[in-house]
Amino acid sequence: MKNYTIKDIAKLAGVSKGTVDRVLHNRGKVSQKALDKINVVLSEIDYKPNLIARNLKNNKIYRICILLPNPDSDPYWLPCIEGIDEAKTEFSSFNILIEPYFFDPNSTSSFIETNERLLKTSPDAVLLVPLFYKESLHAIDNYNSLGIISGTFNNQLKSRIINSFVGQDLFQSGRVAANLLDLLLKNGLIAIIHIDEEYENAQHMQEKEKGFRNYFTDTETDKFELVTLNIKSTDAEKSLTDFLDTHDNLKGIFVTTSKSYQIAEVISKRKDEDIAFIGYDLLKPNISFLEKKIIKFLIHQNPKRQAYMGVSLLVEHLIFDKKLSKEVYLPLYIVNAENVKDYIN
């Protein structure tokens, strides 16, 4: 006879694991519809309570800390809070404490200080956004020495001691952006624009640019010239305006961060410019410029799903001894003015 877990029963019944747990242990409210679904499954599999009990650990309370950029500084991270809250709700019946810790995305010292504060709580696992390459590797080395499980999301680090990663293939996303511009343009100059990033310490940005350039290397075309610009938000308008004034052959733009709207704002003021523009992420101002056709395509990274899955993998490992997936890649969603409503509704 198969040894069914709570997850198995939840999947068969089409309900959450937390709902199954409440039914099996007679705690908390459950709708009659959900109860009926679960009872049908329990009857079909000839459920015996001890079969699931074997898969549950003791009554230890597990602590999972999430180290991520402060959404007040960058709204890209707001959906991550929704994903974390969704995981909290789903696993509320288990002995799991899930707590986010926020650092300033523009400050490595804030990352270090927040991580030190997090460690004082003695977590069993840490899920982090490794925004700063060197500091993140050091933090993960420390987790490993302390016996703390480490998971990452959004940005991928190459380290064998990281237990799991959830996110997109950033190199491939760069290639996708390049392919889109190749389809839109015949020839000309393409600018790869990084905003508010310290290039040498921003692995995620490097991977996107590498993928972008790799596409054109593979196609062996001389139709396009590529140039990289590093721009600060505080000086974005002047920097881009100066560049546009001296490069009248600019035909395409690829912005590697969620701040495409800052570049689109400048482009929108130059009515005579016809520039193919690819960016990232469904922030409200980005969507506005997408709908106005200033931005042609946005690559949606689905931060809510990334955070939810990152937390869920760690919970299921701690509670059910489920083996952690080393890498979980989410699809690359290509969004334009015609389908954007499907992603925001």
Side-chain angles (χ1 to χ4, degrees), residues 88-132:
K88 280 184 178 180
T89 299
E90 180 168 347
F91 297 108
S92 60
S93 299
F94 300 102
N95 294 327
I96 293 283
L97 291 177
I98 301 169
E99 185 175 8
Y101 287 78
F102 303 116
F103 63 87
D104 181 348
N106 299 307
S107 170
T108 54
S109 62
S110 174
F111 176 88
I112 294 168
E113 291 165 4
T114 306
N115 183 57
E116 289 174 350
R117 179 160 49 89
L118 171 159
L119 286 173
K120 291 179 180 177
T121 68
S122 300
D124 296 282
V126 176
L127 177 67
L128 75 153
V129 176
L131 201 62
F132 306 113

mmCIF file of all heavy atoms in Angstrom, residues 88-132:
data_model
loop_
_atom_site.group_PDB
_atom_site.id
_atom_site.type_symbol
_atom_site.label_atom_id
_atom_site.label_comp_id
_atom_site.label_asym_id
_atom_site.label_seq_id
_atom_site.Cartn_x
_atom_site.Cartn_y
_atom_site.Cartn_z
ATOM 1 N N LYS A 88 2.562 31.503 4.079
ATOM 2 C CA LYS A 88 2.244 31.524 5.508
ATOM 3 C C LYS A 88 0.850 30.977 5.766
ATOM 4 O O LYS A 88 0.623 30.169 6.675
ATOM 5 C CB LYS A 88 2.320 32.961 6.047
ATOM 6 C CG LYS A 88 3.699 33.473 6.362
ATOM 7 C CD LYS A 88 3.571 34.861 6.985
ATOM 8 C CE LYS A 88 4.904 35.430 7.384
ATOM 9 N NZ LYS A 88 4.767 36.781 7.992
ATOM 10 N N THR A 89 -0.102 31.413 4.953
ATOM 11 C CA THR A 89 -1.491 30.966 5.110
ATOM 12 C C THR A 89 -1.610 29.468 4.844
ATOM 13 O O THR A 89 -2.260 28.731 5.591
ATOM 14 C CB THR A 89 -2.409 31.740 4.146
ATOM 15 O OG1 THR A 89 -2.341 33.140 4.447
ATOM 16 C CG2 THR A 89 -3.849 31.271 4.273
ATOM 17 N N GLU A 90 -0.964 29.008 3.791
ATOM 18 C CA GLU A 90 -1.069 27.596 3.414
ATOM 19 C C GLU A 90 -0.496 26.675 4.481
ATOM 20 O O GLU A 90 -1.028 25.597 4.731
ATOM 21 C CB GLU A 90 -0.362 27.347 2.088
ATOM 22 C CG GLU A 90 -0.429 25.894 1.649
ATOM 23 C CD GLU A 90 -0.002 25.688 0.217
ATOM 24 O OE1 GLU A 90 0.115 26.680 -0.523
ATOM 25 O OE2 GLU A 90 0.224 24.531 -0.163
ATOM 26 N N PHE A 91 0.580 27.107 5.120
ATOM 27 C CA PHE A 91 1.248 26.243 6.097
ATOM 28 C C PHE A 91 0.996 26.691 7.537
ATOM 29 O O PHE A 91 1.750 26.328 8.432
ATOM 30 C CB PHE A 91 2.757 26.221 5.819
ATOM 31 C CG PHE A 91 3.113 25.647 4.477
ATOM 32 C CD1 PHE A 91 3.560 26.468 3.452
ATOM 33 C CD2 PHE A 91 2.974 24.286 4.221
ATOM 34 C CE1 PHE A 91 3.888 25.948 2.212
ATOM 35 C CE2 PHE A 91 3.293 23.759 2.987
ATOM 36 C CZ PHE A 91 3.752 24.585 1.970
ATOM 37 N N SER A 92 -0.092 27.435 7.737
ATOM 38 C CA SER A 92 -0.369 27.987 9.066
ATOM 39 C C SER A 92 -0.654 26.912 10.116
ATOM 40 O O SER A 92 -0.518 27.168 11.316
ATOM 41 C CB SER A 92 -1.550 28.968 8.995
ATOM 42 O OG SER A 92 -2.714 28.307 8.527
ATOM 43 N N SER A 93 -1.039 25.725 9.673
ATOM 44 C CA SER A 93 -1.366 24.655 10.623
ATOM 45 C C SER A 93 -0.135 23.907 11.129
ATOM 46 O O SER A 93 -0.233 23.094 12.043
ATOM 47 C CB SER A 93 -2.324 23.649 9.973
ATOM 48 O OG SER A 93 -3.523 24.264 9.601
ATOM 49 N N PHE A 94 1.006 24.182 10.525
ATOM 50 C CA PHE A 94 2.224 23.475 10.904
ATOM 51 C C PHE A 94 3.088 24.332 11.815
ATOM 52 O O PHE A 94 2.882 25.537 11.952
ATOM 53 C CB PHE A 94 3.015 23.078 9.646
ATOM 54 C CG PHE A 94 2.238 22.188 8.721
ATOM 55 C CD1 PHE A 94 1.649 22.703 7.582
ATOM 56 C CD2 PHE A 94 2.073 20.841 8.995
ATOM 57 C CE1 PHE A 94 0.922 21.890 6.722
ATOM 58 C CE2 PHE A 94 1.354 20.019 8.160
ATOM 59 C CZ PHE A 94 0.771 20.548 7.017
ATOM 60 N N ASN A 95 4.060 23.684 12.434
ATOM 61 C CA ASN A 95 4.938 24.394 13.364
ATOM 62 C C ASN A 95 6.059 25.117 12.617
ATOM 63 O O ASN A 95 7.226 24.765 12.706
ATOM 64 C CB ASN A 95 5.538 23.402 14.377
ATOM 65 C CG ASN A 95 4.486 22.812 15.278
ATOM 66 O OD1 ASN A 95 3.503 23.468 15.611
ATOM 67 N ND2 ASN A 95 4.678 21.567 15.686
ATOM 68 N N ILE A 96 5.650 26.119 11.868
ATOM 69 C CA ILE A 96 6.588 26.869 11.042
ATOM 70 C C ILE A 96 6.435 28.362 11.317
ATOM 71 O O ILE A 96 5.325 28.893 11.301
ATOM 72 C CB ILE A 96 6.333 26.618 9.540
ATOM 73 C CG1 ILE A 96 6.668 25.176 9.166
ATOM 74 C CG2 ILE A 96 7.123 27.581 8.677
ATOM 75 C CD1 ILE A 96 8.138 24.885 9.024
ATOM 76 N N LEU A 97 7.542 29.032 11.569
ATOM 77 C CA LEU A 97 7.558 30.485 11.673
ATOM 78 C C LEU A 97 8.261 31.028 10.435
ATOM 79 O O LEU A 97 9.408 30.673 10.162
ATOM 80 C CB LEU A 97 8.296 30.940 12.934
ATOM 81 C CG LEU A 97 7.618 30.636 14.278
ATOM 82 C CD1 LEU A 97 8.513 31.084 15.428
ATOM 83 C CD2 LEU A 97 6.263 31.325 14.371
ATOM 84 N N ILE A 98 7.581 31.875 9.695
ATOM 85 C CA ILE A 98 8.119 32.446 8.463
ATOM 86 C C ILE A 98 8.179 33.958 8.634
ATOM 87 O O ILE A 98 7.155 34.600 8.836
ATOM 88 C CB ILE A 98 7.238 32.081 7.252
ATOM 89 C CG1 ILE A 98 7.146 30.555 7.094
ATOM 90 C CG2 ILE A 98 7.774 32.719 5.977
ATOM 91 C CD1 ILE A 98 6.100 30.099 6.099
ATOM 92 N N GLU A 99 9.384 34.510 8.548
ATOM 93 C CA GLU A 99 9.543 35.937 8.839
ATOM 94 C C GLU A 99 10.472 36.605 7.830
ATOM 95 O O GLU A 99 11.606 36.177 7.627
ATOM 96 C CB GLU A 99 10.109 36.122 10.250
ATOM 97 C CG GLU A 99 10.184 37.574 10.686
ATOM 98 C CD GLU A 99 10.645 37.719 12.129
ATOM 99 O OE1 GLU A 99 11.055 36.708 12.738
ATOM 100 O OE2 GLU A 99 10.599 38.856 12.640
ATOM 101 N N PRO A 100 9.989 37.689 7.176
ATOM 102 C CA PRO A 100 10.850 38.416 6.229
ATOM 103 C C PRO A 100 11.729 39.450 6.930
ATOM 104 O O PRO A 100 11.341 40.040 7.944
ATOM 105 C CB PRO A 100 9.832 39.100 5.308
ATOM 106 C CG PRO A 100 8.616 39.292 6.161
ATOM 107 C CD PRO A 100 8.600 38.148 7.140
ATOM 108 N N TYR A 101 12.903 39.654 6.387
ATOM 109 C CA TYR A 101 13.832 40.692 6.844
ATOM 110 C C TYR A 101 14.231 41.515 5.620
ATOM 111 O O TYR A 101 14.645 40.960 4.607
ATOM 112 C CB TYR A 101 15.075 40.063 7.479
ATOM 113 C CG TYR A 101 14.833 39.464 8.837
ATOM 114 C CD1 TYR A 101 14.219 38.213 8.964
ATOM 115 C CD2 TYR A 101 15.208 40.129 10.000
ATOM 116 C CE1 TYR A 101 13.985 37.655 10.211
ATOM 117 C CE2 TYR A 101 14.982 39.581 11.253
ATOM 118 C CZ TYR A 101 14.375 38.347 11.353
ATOM 119 O OH TYR A 101 14.141 37.794 12.590
ATOM 120 N N PHE A 102 14.108 42.837 5.727
ATOM 121 C CA PHE A 102 14.313 43.703 4.569
ATOM 122 C C PHE A 102 15.623 44.476 4.652
ATOM 123 O O PHE A 102 15.972 45.021 5.694
ATOM 124 C CB PHE A 102 13.160 44.703 4.445
ATOM 125 C CG PHE A 102 11.812 44.053 4.343
ATOM 126 C CD1 PHE A 102 10.854 44.242 5.328
ATOM 127 C CD2 PHE A 102 11.497 43.240 3.269
ATOM 128 C CE1 PHE A 102 9.610 43.649 5.247
ATOM 129 C CE2 PHE A 102 10.259 42.629 3.167
ATOM 130 C CZ PHE A 102 9.308 42.836 4.160
ATOM 131 N N PHE A 103 16.337 44.524 3.529
ATOM 132 C CA PHE A 103 17.544 45.339 3.452
ATOM 133 C C PHE A 103 17.399 46.361 2.328
ATOM 134 O O PHE A 103 16.577 46.211 1.418
ATOM 135 C CB PHE A 103 18.790 44.465 3.236
ATOM 136 C CG PHE A 103 18.810 43.687 1.945
ATOM 137 C CD1 PHE A 103 19.316 44.251 0.777
ATOM 138 C CD2 PHE A 103 18.354 42.374 1.896
ATOM 139 C CE1 PHE A 103 19.346 43.542 -0.410
ATOM 140 C CE2 PHE A 103 18.377 41.652 0.706
ATOM 141 C CZ PHE A 103 18.877 42.237 -0.447
ATOM 142 N N ASP A 104 18.193 47.407 2.402
ATOM 143 C CA ASP A 104 18.204 48.449 1.380
ATOM 144 C C ASP A 104 18.887 47.898 0.131
ATOM 145 O O ASP A 104 20.061 47.519 0.179
ATOM 146 C CB ASP A 104 18.965 49.667 1.915
ATOM 147 C CG ASP A 104 19.008 50.829 0.932
ATOM 148 O OD1 ASP A 104 18.658 50.641 -0.248
ATOM 149 O OD2 ASP A 104 19.407 51.927 1.353
ATOM 150 N N PRO A 105 18.184 47.833 -1.005
ATOM 151 C CA PRO A 105 18.774 47.244 -2.208
ATOM 152 C C PRO A 105 19.938 48.046 -2.789
ATOM 153 O O PRO A 105 20.628 47.566 -3.700
ATOM 154 C CB PRO A 105 17.599 47.196 -3.194
ATOM 155 C CG PRO A 105 16.654 48.244 -2.711
ATOM 156 C CD PRO A 105 16.790 48.249 -1.220
ATOM 157 N N ASN A 106 20.157 49.235 -2.259
ATOM 158 C CA ASN A 106 21.266 50.060 -2.741
ATOM 159 C C ASN A 106 22.453 50.073 -1.777
ATOM 160 O O ASN A 106 23.385 50.858 -1.950
ATOM 161 C CB ASN A 106 20.791 51.498 -2.972
ATOM 162 C CG ASN A 106 19.693 51.583 -4.018
ATOM 163 O OD1 ASN A 106 19.852 51.073 -5.118
ATOM 164 N ND2 ASN A 106 18.584 52.199 -3.667
ATOM 165 N N SER A 107 22.402 49.203 -0.759
ATOM 166 C CA SER A 107 23.431 49.261 0.281
ATOM 167 C C SER A 107 23.911 47.865 0.666
ATOM 168 O O SER A 107 23.148 47.067 1.218
ATOM 169 C CB SER A 107 22.878 49.982 1.521
ATOM 170 O OG SER A 107 23.742 49.856 2.624
ATOM 171 N N THR A 108 25.178 47.578 0.400
ATOM 172 C CA THR A 108 25.733 46.295 0.824
ATOM 173 C C THR A 108 25.826 46.216 2.338
ATOM 174 O O THR A 108 25.636 45.140 2.918
ATOM 175 C CB THR A 108 27.138 46.089 0.219
ATOM 176 O OG1 THR A 108 27.963 47.210 0.543
ATOM 177 C CG2 THR A 108 27.071 45.931 -1.287
ATOM 178 N N SER A 109 26.086 47.343 2.993
ATOM 179 C CA SER A 109 26.178 47.340 4.463
ATOM 180 C C SER A 109 24.826 47.014 5.083
ATOM 181 O O SER A 109 24.756 46.330 6.111
ATOM 182 C CB SER A 109 26.693 48.686 4.979
ATOM 183 O OG SER A 109 25.813 49.741 4.628
ATOM 184 N N SER A 110 23.741 47.480 4.463
ATOM 185 C CA SER A 110 22.403 47.147 4.954
ATOM 186 C C SER A 110 22.145 45.653 4.828
ATOM 187 O O SER A 110 21.564 45.031 5.725
ATOM 188 C CB SER A 110 21.349 47.928 4.168
ATOM 189 O OG SER A 110 20.046 47.519 4.528
ATOM 190 N N PHE A 111 22.585 45.062 3.714
ATOM 191 C CA PHE A 111 22.451 43.613 3.522
ATOM 192 C C PHE A 111 23.183 42.857 4.629
ATOM 193 O O PHE A 111 22.630 41.926 5.235
ATOM 194 C CB PHE A 111 23.007 43.226 2.151
ATOM 195 C CG PHE A 111 23.009 41.747 1.877
ATOM 196 C CD1 PHE A 111 21.904 41.127 1.329
ATOM 197 C CD2 PHE A 111 24.129 40.972 2.180
ATOM 198 C CE1 PHE A 111 21.906 39.746 1.081
ATOM 199 C CE2 PHE A 111 24.149 39.610 1.935
ATOM 200 C CZ PHE A 111 23.033 38.994 1.383
ATOM 201 N N ILE A 112 24.416 43.258 4.901
ATOM 202 C CA ILE A 112 25.233 42.588 5.923
ATOM 203 C C ILE A 112 24.612 42.743 7.304
ATOM 204 O O ILE A 112 24.493 41.768 8.060
ATOM 205 C CB ILE A 112 26.670 43.146 5.901
ATOM 206 C CG1 ILE A 112 27.359 42.784 4.583
ATOM 207 C CG2 ILE A 112 27.480 42.609 7.077
ATOM 208 C CD1 ILE A 112 28.665 43.526 4.348
ATOM 209 N N GLU A 113 24.191 43.951 7.638
ATOM 210 C CA GLU A 113 23.623 44.217 8.962
ATOM 211 C C GLU A 113 22.303 43.474 9.169
ATOM 212 O O GLU A 113 22.047 42.923 10.244
ATOM 213 C CB GLU A 113 23.410 45.723 9.147
ATOM 214 C CG GLU A 113 24.714 46.515 9.245
ATOM 215 C CD GLU A 113 24.496 48.013 9.072
ATOM 216 O OE1 GLU A 113 23.315 48.434 8.958
ATOM 217 O OE2 GLU A 113 25.501 48.753 9.024
ATOM 218 N N THR A 114 21.464 43.459 8.133
ATOM 219 C CA THR A 114 20.181 42.751 8.236
ATOM 220 C C THR A 114 20.400 41.256 8.384
ATOM 221 O O THR A 114 19.709 40.572 9.146
ATOM 222 C CB THR A 114 19.308 43.044 7.005
ATOM 223 O OG1 THR A 114 19.171 44.447 6.830
ATOM 224 C CG2 THR A 114 17.919 42.427 7.167
ATOM 225 N N ASN A 115 21.384 40.724 7.673
ATOM 226 C CA ASN A 115 21.702 39.301 7.771
ATOM 227 C C ASN A 115 22.201 38.951 9.179
ATOM 228 O O ASN A 115 21.839 37.899 9.729
ATOM 229 C CB ASN A 115 22.749 38.922 6.738
ATOM 230 C CG ASN A 115 23.064 37.444 6.740
ATOM 231 O OD1 ASN A 115 22.181 36.605 6.565
ATOM 232 N ND2 ASN A 115 24.324 37.106 6.962
ATOM 233 N N GLU A 116 22.998 39.804 9.766
ATOM 234 C CA GLU A 116 23.490 39.564 11.122
ATOM 235 C C GLU A 116 22.334 39.553 12.121
ATOM 236 O O GLU A 116 22.301 38.732 13.052
ATOM 237 C CB GLU A 116 24.517 40.631 11.500
ATOM 238 C CG GLU A 116 25.835 40.490 10.742
ATOM 239 C CD GLU A 116 26.804 41.626 11.014
ATOM 240 O OE1 GLU A 116 26.370 42.621 11.646
ATOM 241 O OE2 GLU A 116 27.974 41.536 10.589
ATOM 242 N N ARG A 117 21.379 40.453 11.921
ATOM 243 C CA ARG A 117 20.207 40.494 12.809
ATOM 244 C C ARG A 117 19.367 39.233 12.641
ATOM 245 O O ARG A 117 18.857 38.665 13.623
ATOM 246 C CB ARG A 117 19.389 41.742 12.480
ATOM 247 C CG ARG A 117 18.128 41.926 13.306
ATOM 248 C CD ARG A 117 17.659 43.382 13.274
ATOM 249 N NE ARG A 117 17.605 43.910 11.925
ATOM 250 C CZ ARG A 117 16.543 43.820 11.141
ATOM 251 N NH1 ARG A 117 15.446 43.194 11.580
ATOM 252 N NH2 ARG A 117 16.540 44.351 9.935
ATOM 253 N N LEU A 118 19.241 38.782 11.418
ATOM 254 C CA LEU A 118 18.498 37.554 11.111
ATOM 255 C C LEU A 118 19.129 36.341 11.805
ATOM 256 O O LEU A 118 18.425 35.496 12.378
ATOM 257 C CB LEU A 118 18.468 37.392 9.606
ATOM 258 C CG LEU A 118 17.966 36.144 8.905
ATOM 259 C CD1 LEU A 118 17.590 36.509 7.464
ATOM 260 C CD2 LEU A 118 18.996 35.028 8.870
ATOM 261 N N LEU A 119 20.444 36.247 11.766
ATOM 262 C CA LEU A 119 21.143 35.094 12.331
ATOM 263 C C LEU A 119 20.958 34.977 13.837
ATOM 264 O O LEU A 119 21.036 33.876 14.396
ATOM 265 C CB LEU A 119 22.631 35.167 11.994
ATOM 266 C CG LEU A 119 23.005 34.845 10.542
ATOM 267 C CD1 LEU A 119 24.474 35.126 10.294
ATOM 268 C CD2 LEU A 119 22.677 33.396 10.212
ATOM 269 N N LYS A 120 20.696 36.097 14.502
ATOM 270 C CA LYS A 120 20.508 36.075 15.953
ATOM 271 C C LYS A 120 19.241 35.323 16.356
ATOM 272 O O LYS A 120 19.079 34.949 17.513
ATOM 273 C CB LYS A 120 20.466 37.501 16.496
ATOM 274 C CG LYS A 120 21.814 38.215 16.424
ATOM 275 C CD LYS A 120 21.727 39.647 16.945
ATOM 276 C CE LYS A 120 23.085 40.344 16.856
ATOM 277 N NZ LYS A 120 23.013 41.764 17.304
ATOM 278 N N THR A 121 18.330 35.086 15.397
ATOM 279 C CA THR A 121 17.097 34.336 15.697
ATOM 280 C C THR A 121 17.305 32.824 15.559
ATOM 281 O O THR A 121 16.368 32.061 15.764
ATOM 282 C CB THR A 121 15.957 34.765 14.753
ATOM 283 O OG1 THR A 121 16.252 34.350 13.407
ATOM 284 C CG2 THR A 121 15.770 36.278 14.782
ATOM 285 N N SER A 122 18.503 32.400 15.180
ATOM 286 C CA SER A 122 18.835 30.970 14.999
ATOM 287 C C SER A 122 17.871 30.264 14.044
ATOM 288 O O SER A 122 17.174 29.314 14.418
ATOM 289 C CB SER A 122 18.834 30.258 16.363
ATOM 290 O OG SER A 122 19.775 30.833 17.226
ATOM 291 N N PRO A 123 17.824 30.700 12.782
ATOM 292 C CA PRO A 123 16.903 30.072 11.835
ATOM 293 C C PRO A 123 17.328 28.666 11.441
ATOM 294 O O PRO A 123 18.503 28.318 11.503
ATOM 295 C CB PRO A 123 16.978 31.015 10.617
ATOM 296 C CG PRO A 123 18.361 31.594 10.703
ATOM 297 C CD PRO A 123 18.642 31.760 12.167
ATOM 298 N N ASP A 124 16.342 27.862 11.053
ATOM 299 C CA ASP A 124 16.627 26.538 10.503
ATOM 300 C C ASP A 124 16.926 26.633 9.005
ATOM 301 O O ASP A 124 17.624 25.784 8.462
ATOM 302 C CB ASP A 124 15.431 25.613 10.725
ATOM 303 C CG ASP A 124 15.173 25.370 12.203
ATOM 304 O OD1 ASP A 124 15.904 24.559 12.794
ATOM 305 O OD2 ASP A 124 14.261 26.013 12.755
ATOM 306 N N ALA A 125 16.360 27.644 8.369
ATOM 307 C CA ALA A 125 16.573 27.843 6.935
ATOM 308 C C ALA A 125 16.482 29.324 6.610
ATOM 309 O O ALA A 125 15.750 30.070 7.276
ATOM 310 C CB ALA A 125 15.551 27.063 6.112
ATOM 311 N N VAL A 126 17.218 29.736 5.597
ATOM 312 C CA VAL A 126 17.162 31.124 5.120
ATOM 313 C C VAL A 126 16.916 31.106 3.616
ATOM 314 O O VAL A 126 17.598 30.405 2.871
ATOM 315 C CB VAL A 126 18.465 31.901 5.413
ATOM 316 C CG1 VAL A 126 18.401 33.306 4.803
ATOM 317 C CG2 VAL A 126 18.715 31.995 6.911
ATOM 318 N N LEU A 127 15.924 31.874 3.201
ATOM 319 C CA LEU A 127 15.654 32.091 1.783
ATOM 320 C C LEU A 127 16.065 33.528 1.479
ATOM 321 O O LEU A 127 15.573 34.457 2.119
ATOM 322 C CB LEU A 127 14.169 31.888 1.477
ATOM 323 C CG LEU A 127 13.723 32.155 0.037
ATOM 324 C CD1 LEU A 127 14.317 31.120 -0.911
ATOM 325 C CD2 LEU A 127 12.193 32.155 -0.060
ATOM 326 N N LEU A 128 16.976 33.716 0.546
ATOM 327 C CA LEU A 128 17.460 35.072 0.301
ATOM 328 C C LEU A 128 17.492 35.429 -1.169
ATOM 329 O O LEU A 128 17.562 34.555 -2.040
ATOM 330 C CB LEU A 128 18.855 35.274 0.898
ATOM 331 C CG LEU A 128 20.058 34.644 0.189
ATOM 332 C CD1 LEU A 128 21.324 35.441 0.491
ATOM 333 C CD2 LEU A 128 20.250 33.199 0.651
ATOM 334 N N VAL A 129 17.421 36.726 -1.395
ATOM 335 C CA VAL A 129 17.676 37.283 -2.722
ATOM 336 C C VAL A 129 19.132 37.730 -2.735
ATOM 337 O O VAL A 129 19.491 38.701 -2.074
ATOM 338 C CB VAL A 129 16.756 38.485 -3.007
ATOM 339 C CG1 VAL A 129 17.113 39.102 -4.361
ATOM 340 C CG2 VAL A 129 15.296 38.072 -2.979
ATOM 341 N N PRO A 130 19.995 37.034 -3.460
ATOM 342 C CA PRO A 130 21.427 37.358 -3.450
ATOM 343 C C PRO A 130 21.745 38.531 -4.371
ATOM 344 O O PRO A 130 22.418 38.385 -5.390
ATOM 345 C CB PRO A 130 22.073 36.055 -3.925
ATOM 346 C CG PRO A 130 21.047 35.452 -4.827
ATOM 347 C CD PRO A 130 19.707 35.823 -4.247
ATOM 348 N N LEU A 131 21.264 39.699 -3.975
ATOM 349 C CA LEU A 131 21.412 40.878 -4.828
ATOM 350 C C LEU A 131 22.872 41.284 -4.989
ATOM 351 O O LEU A 131 23.287 41.744 -6.046
ATOM 352 C CB LEU A 131 20.603 42.037 -4.229
ATOM 353 C CG LEU A 131 20.208 43.172 -5.169
ATOM 354 C CD1 LEU A 131 19.319 42.667 -6.290
ATOM 355 C CD2 LEU A 131 19.488 44.275 -4.392
ATOM 356 N N PHE A 132 23.643 41.119 -3.909
ATOM 357 C CA PHE A 132 25.060 41.470 -3.935
ATOM 358 C C PHE A 132 25.881 40.179 -3.970
ATOM 359 O O PHE A 132 25.847 39.396 -3.019
ATOM 360 C CB PHE A 132 25.429 42.313 -2.718
ATOM 361 C CG PHE A 132 24.560 43.536 -2.557
ATOM 362 C CD1 PHE A 132 23.682 43.651 -1.487
ATOM 363 C CD2 PHE A 132 24.612 44.567 -3.479
ATOM 364 C CE1 PHE A 132 22.881 44.761 -1.344
ATOM 365 C CE2 PHE A 132 23.821 45.693 -3.340
ATOM 366 C CZ PHE A 132 22.952 45.793 -2.273
#
